[in-house]
mmCIF file with all atom_site columns, all heavy atoms in Angstrom:
data_model
loop_
_atom_site.group_PDB
_atom_site.id
_atom_site.type_symbol
_atom_site.label_atom_id
_atom_site.label_alt_id
_atom_site.label_comp_id
_atom_site.label_asym_id
_atom_site.label_entity_id
_atom_site.label_seq_id
_atom_site.pdbx_PDB_ins_code
_atom_site.Cartn_x
_atom_site.Cartn_y
_atom_site.Cartn_z
_atom_site.occupancy
_atom_site.B_iso_or_equiv
_atom_site.pdbx_formal_charge
_atom_site.auth_seq_id
_atom_site.auth_comp_id
_atom_site.auth_asym_id
_atom_site.auth_atom_id
_atom_site.pdbx_PDB_model_num
ATOM 1  N N   . GLN A 1 1   ? 20.096 -11.327 -18.599 1.00 82.00 ? 1494 GLN A N   1
ATOM 2  C CA  . GLN A 1 1   ? 18.902 -11.212 -17.811 1.00 82.00 ? 1494 GLN A CA  1
ATOM 3  C C   . GLN A 1 1   ? 19.108 -11.034 -16.374 1.00 82.00 ? 1494 GLN A C   1
ATOM 4  O O   . GLN A 1 1   ? 20.017 -11.658 -15.749 1.00 82.00 ? 1494 GLN A O   1
ATOM 5  C CB  . GLN A 1 1   ? 18.214 -12.565 -18.108 1.00 82.00 ? 1494 GLN A CB  1
ATOM 6  C CG  . GLN A 1 1   ? 16.723 -12.518 -17.656 1.00 82.00 ? 1494 GLN A CG  1
ATOM 7  C CD  . GLN A 1 1   ? 15.805 -11.820 -18.420 1.00 82.00 ? 1494 GLN A CD  1
ATOM 8  O OE1 . GLN A 1 1   ? 16.131 -11.338 -19.482 1.00 82.00 ? 1494 GLN A OE1 1
ATOM 9  N NE2 . GLN A 1 1   ? 14.522 -11.641 -17.955 1.00 82.00 ? 1494 GLN A NE2 1
ATOM 10 N N   . ARG A 1 27  ? 24.135 -11.708 -14.152 1.00 80.00 ? 1520 ARG A N   1
ATOM 11 C CA  . ARG A 1 27  ? 25.402 -11.002 -14.270 1.00 80.00 ? 1520 ARG A CA  1
ATOM 12 C C   . ARG A 1 27  ? 25.209 -9.475  -14.629 1.00 80.00 ? 1520 ARG A C   1
ATOM 13 O O   . ARG A 1 27  ? 24.120 -9.113  -14.971 1.00 80.00 ? 1520 ARG A O   1
ATOM 14 C CB  . ARG A 1 27  ? 26.167 -11.672 -15.387 1.00 80.00 ? 1520 ARG A CB  1
ATOM 15 C CG  . ARG A 1 27  ? 26.520 -13.073 -15.159 1.00 80.00 ? 1520 ARG A CG  1
ATOM 16 C CD  . ARG A 1 27  ? 27.423 -13.741 -16.253 1.00 80.00 ? 1520 ARG A CD  1
ATOM 17 N NE  . ARG A 1 27  ? 27.798 -15.126 -15.921 1.00 80.00 ? 1520 ARG A NE  1
ATOM 18 C CZ  . ARG A 1 27  ? 28.558 -15.896 -16.752 1.00 80.00 ? 1520 ARG A CZ  1
ATOM 19 N NH1 . ARG A 1 27  ? 28.982 -15.363 -17.869 1.00 80.00 ? 1520 ARG A NH1 1
ATOM 20 N NH2 . ARG A 1 27  ? 28.865 -17.018 -16.393 1.00 80.00 ? 1520 ARG A NH2 1
ATOM 21 N N   . ASN A 1 74  ? 26.922 -3.294  -4.897  1.00 95.00 ? 1567 ASN A N   1
ATOM 22 C CA  . ASN A 1 74  ? 27.180 -4.043  -6.213  1.00 95.00 ? 1567 ASN A CA  1
ATOM 23 C C   . ASN A 1 74  ? 27.820 -5.450  -5.926  1.00 95.00 ? 1567 ASN A C   1
ATOM 24 O O   . ASN A 1 74  ? 27.581 -6.401  -6.642  1.00 95.00 ? 1567 ASN A O   1
ATOM 25 C CB  . ASN A 1 74  ? 27.965 -3.201  -7.154  1.00 95.00 ? 1567 ASN A CB  1
ATOM 26 C CG  . ASN A 1 74  ? 27.164 -2.162  -7.907  1.00 95.00 ? 1567 ASN A CG  1
ATOM 27 O OD1 . ASN A 1 74  ? 25.964 -2.188  -7.695  1.00 95.00 ? 1567 ASN A OD1 1
ATOM 28 N ND2 . ASN A 1 74  ? 27.800 -1.281  -8.643  1.00 95.00 ? 1567 ASN A ND2 1
ATOM 29 N N   . ALA A 1 75  ? 28.598 -5.490  -4.868  1.00 94.00 ? 1568 ALA A N   1
ATOM 30 C CA  . ALA A 1 75  ? 29.266 -6.811  -4.549  1.00 94.00 ? 1568 ALA A CA  1
ATOM 31 C C   . ALA A 1 75  ? 28.211 -7.831  -4.117  1.00 94.00 ? 1568 ALA A C   1
ATOM 32 O O   . ALA A 1 75  ? 28.333 -8.957  -4.313  1.00 94.00 ? 1568 ALA A O   1
ATOM 33 C CB  . ALA A 1 75  ? 30.286 -6.601  -3.404  1.00 94.00 ? 1568 ALA A CB  1
ATOM 34 N N   . TYR A 1 113 ? 12.195 1.095   -17.921 1.00 97.00 ? 1606 TYR A N   1
ATOM 35 C CA  . TYR A 1 113 ? 12.736 -0.065  -17.109 1.00 97.00 ? 1606 TYR A CA  1
ATOM 36 C C   . TYR A 1 113 ? 12.151 -1.311  -17.599 1.00 97.00 ? 1606 TYR A C   1
ATOM 37 O O   . TYR A 1 113 ? 10.919 -1.474  -17.944 1.00 97.00 ? 1606 TYR A O   1
ATOM 38 C CB  . TYR A 1 113 ? 12.655 0.213   -15.667 1.00 97.00 ? 1606 TYR A CB  1
ATOM 39 C CG  . TYR A 1 113 ? 13.426 1.262   -15.148 1.00 97.00 ? 1606 TYR A CG  1
ATOM 40 C CD1 . TYR A 1 113 ? 13.185 2.532   -15.458 1.00 97.00 ? 1606 TYR A CD1 1
ATOM 41 C CD2 . TYR A 1 113 ? 14.610 0.973   -14.441 1.00 97.00 ? 1606 TYR A CD2 1
ATOM 42 C CE1 . TYR A 1 113 ? 14.077 3.631   -14.956 1.00 97.00 ? 1606 TYR A CE1 1
ATOM 43 C CE2 . TYR A 1 113 ? 15.401 1.884   -13.949 1.00 97.00 ? 1606 TYR A CE2 1
ATOM 44 C CZ  . TYR A 1 113 ? 15.184 3.286   -14.221 1.00 97.00 ? 1606 TYR A CZ  1
ATOM 45 O OH  . TYR A 1 113 ? 16.111 4.262   -13.733 1.00 97.00 ? 1606 TYR A OH  1
ATOM 46 N N   . VAL A 1 122 ? 3.702  -1.741  1.117   1.00 98.00 ? 1615 VAL A N   1
ATOM 47 C CA  . VAL A 1 122 ? 3.922  -0.930  2.287   1.00 98.00 ? 1615 VAL A CA  1
ATOM 48 C C   . VAL A 1 122 ? 2.663  -0.305  2.604   1.00 98.00 ? 1615 VAL A C   1
ATOM 49 O O   . VAL A 1 122 ? 1.950  0.440   1.788   1.00 98.00 ? 1615 VAL A O   1
ATOM 50 C CB  . VAL A 1 122 ? 5.008  0.129   1.884   1.00 98.00 ? 1615 VAL A CB  1
ATOM 51 C CG1 . VAL A 1 122 ? 5.218  1.121   2.979   1.00 98.00 ? 1615 VAL A CG1 1
ATOM 52 C CG2 . VAL A 1 122 ? 6.421  -0.512  1.535   1.00 98.00 ? 1615 VAL A CG2 1
#
Side-chain angles (χ1 to χ4, degrees):
Q1494 188 74 7
R1520 298 181 177 180
N1567 281 354
Y1606 285 74
V1615 171

